[in-house]
Amino acid sequence: MSRESETAPHPDGRTDAATGPDAATAEDARTRVTIVVALGANLVIALAKALGGLFAGSPALLSEAAHSVADSLNELFLLASLKRSTRPADARHPFGYGKERYFWSLLAAVGIFVMGGCFSFFQGIEAMRSDSSETHTGYLVGLAVLAVALIAEGSSLVRALLQVRGQARAAGRSMRGAIRAGDDPALRTVLAEDSTACFGVLVAMAGMGLHMITGKVAYEAWASLVIGALLVFVAYQLAKESRGQLIGEAADPALRQAIQEFLDEQPEVDTVTGLLSMRMGTQSTLVAARIDLVGGLDSEEVEDVLVRVKADLTKQWPIADQIFLDVTDASAKDRAQARRDRQLLDETVAAESDRNDAGGGGGAQDSG
């Protein structure tokens, strides 16, 4: 089993014995290496593309240079997110700084849109207006630069995919399921950037090649527009994910279901009338439950039950580090609503499981 699979969380939020704060730090270290690799590749590629684009007079190549510059700045944002999100809680931020990850990922999405997508559209429109043609040497230089860029971007993409694969195997998910889950916005952003960059390079090569064969710059202009549209789409998707997490997104349905089942199994708990959750960061989740206890418990027994349940929850699911239990008297209406909520949650988890199976799931399942 790979190192990643020893430390990554299970789909329901539980972790193996080797997990916890140290495992989270180790996973962040792997993510930091992935980002640094992507940053180094993008800096070199951006310079090569810019010089090659100016020499060849290629709008598609200049668009790709802008794409790489945007990716380089975004990697700096992501490195900042890793450092700032691990700061301890304080009086102003009692739940910690975990959501810094989502904020800096949102800035990265804006960077992709402004610096990558908009510049690519500008280059494409300008190329449509012109009737320029590159020299034979210019074509060869441009294609050579793009070939080198494809190798570098592909290497960075492989590094990101290997990390996702380790997480997917440990969580019992398919690769598609792990990517869809997107637990770490920094890793998700790098993966999106690298895959988009590889596809963009191929589009730029196709546009330049058709320009070389036909002598029509329109092919490169359309390549720039396609690259721009792709970057805008990716930026929108990343921004949408970050927005959802910033305004308060519930924990993974499998985690909510597991916590619900755990509470239902406690002998002192009669009914769980409500279960709310919110992701406070990649390693922090707030859980608030309204529970109706069985009759006959005195105040000291109630206190002991709440302390024990909280401790057991945190021990079994370290990611649920902010737990609030509200003891309430459940009415018939509350119980009926609780049953409907539970049914809806079970259906959601079953649907996600079916999607993972359809996507080729088959990672290492939890044996505990």
Side-chain angles (χ1 to χ4, degrees):
M1 182 179 292
S2 66
R3 181 177 178 84
E4 289 86 352
S5 64
E6 293 174 356
T7 60
H10 292 288
D12 63 4
R14 279 177 295 129
T15 50
D16 295 320
T19 64
D22 292 340
T25 301
E27 189 63 32
D28 280 354
R30 283 190 287 274
T31 300
R32 185 175 290 106
V33 171
T34 299
I35 294 173
V36 169
V37 169
L39 174 61
N42 279 317
L43 286 173
V44 173
I45 293 168
L47 180 61
K49 288 176 179 177
L51 294 176
L54 292 173
F55 178 81
S58 168
L61 197 52
L62 289 174
S63 295
E64 274 298 301
H67 181 183
S68 295
V69 170
D71 286 350
S72 299
L73 290 178
N74 292 339
E75 259 88 61
L76 295 178
F77 289 153
L78 298 179
L79 288 174
S81 77
L82 291 180
K83 182 177 179 62
R84 296 178 65 85
S85 65
T86 56
R87 289 181 295 170
D90 54 34
R92 291 192 65 185
H93 298 87
F95 293 105
Y97 290 82
K99 288 195 175 185
E100 288 264 17
R101 292 273 186 109
Y102 310 134
F103 170 74
W104 290 97
S105 295
L106 178 61
L107 290 186
V110 173
I112 293 174
F113 175 81
V114 176
M115 297 192 62
C118 292
F119 185 80
S120 295
F121 277 125
F122 171 77
Q123 283 295 122
I125 294 172
E126 285 295 305
M128 285 287 191
R129 293 177 176 178
S130 68
D131 193 22
S132 61
S133 182
E134 295 141 60
T135 65
H136 183 72
T137 302
Y139 287 126
L140 296 180
V141 169
L143 291 172
V145 168
L146 288 174
V148 172
L150 183 60
I151 295 173
E153 297 281 14
S155 300
S156 179
L157 176 60
V158 168
R159 163 76 198 186
L161 286 173
L162 287 175
Q163 186 174 348
V164 173
R165 180 186 178 188
Q167 294 178 352
R169 182 180 300 170
R173 290 187 176 117
S174 64
M175 285 282 288
R176 182 189 300 177
I179 293 172
R180 186 188 297 118
D183 297 325
D184 187 345
L187 180 58
R188 182 181 64 237
T189 302
V190 171
L191 189 62
E193 287 178 346
D194 288 344
S195 56
T196 304
C198 289
F199 182 77
V201 168
L202 293 175
V203 171
M205 292 178 74
M208 185 174 286
L210 289 172
H211 186 185
M212 180 174 64
I213 294 172
T214 65
K216 295 181 179 180
V217 72
Y219 288 107
E220 281 200 64
W222 278 109
S224 293
L225 294 175
V226 169
I227 293 170
L230 178 64
L231 292 175
V232 168
F233 174 76
V234 170
Y236 169 76
Q237 292 295 327
L238 292 175
K240 184 173 68 171
E241 291 289 336
S242 296
R243 172 185 174 274
Q245 292 159 339
L246 279 172
I247 64 177
E249 189 174 64
D252 185 83
L255 172 59
R256 304 202 311 268
Q257 183 189 55
I259 292 177
Q260 174 88 43
E261 292 174 350
F262 172 84
L263 293 174
D264 287 337
E265 291 169 358
Q266 303 308 303
E268 300 87 354
V269 176
D270 180 62
T271 306
V272 179
T273 61
L275 181 63
L276 304 176
S277 65
M278 182 168 64
R279 294 180 60 183
M280 306 303 296
T282 57
Q283 296 297 327
S284 177
T285 300
L286 183 150
V287 176
R290 291 191 297 271
I291 57 176
D292 183 8
L293 299 179
V294 297
L297 300 177
D298 60 33
S299 59
E300 289 188 2
E301 289 175 320
V302 170
E303 183 178 352
D304 290 341
V305 168
L306 296 182
V307 170
R308 175 179 56 79
V309 170
K310 287 182 181 180
D312 290 346
L313 274 172
T314 302
K315 181 179 180 181
Q316 191 163 358
W317 293 280
I319 195 173
D321 58 340
Q322 305 288 344
I323 300 174
F324 301 89
L325 301 178
D326 178 27
V327 179
T328 183
D329 290 328
S331 64
K333 182 179 180 181
D334 292 334
R335 294 174 186 274
Q337 184 62 48
R339 287 192 294 270
R340 289 193 293 270
D341 292 342
R342 178 61 187 275
Q343 182 179 359
L344 179 61
L345 177 61
D346 291 343
E347 291 173 354
T348 300
V349 173
E352 289 198 355
S353 178
D354 291 341
R355 283 198 298 268
N356 286 336
D357 291 341
Q365 298 292 334
D366 170 43
S367 59

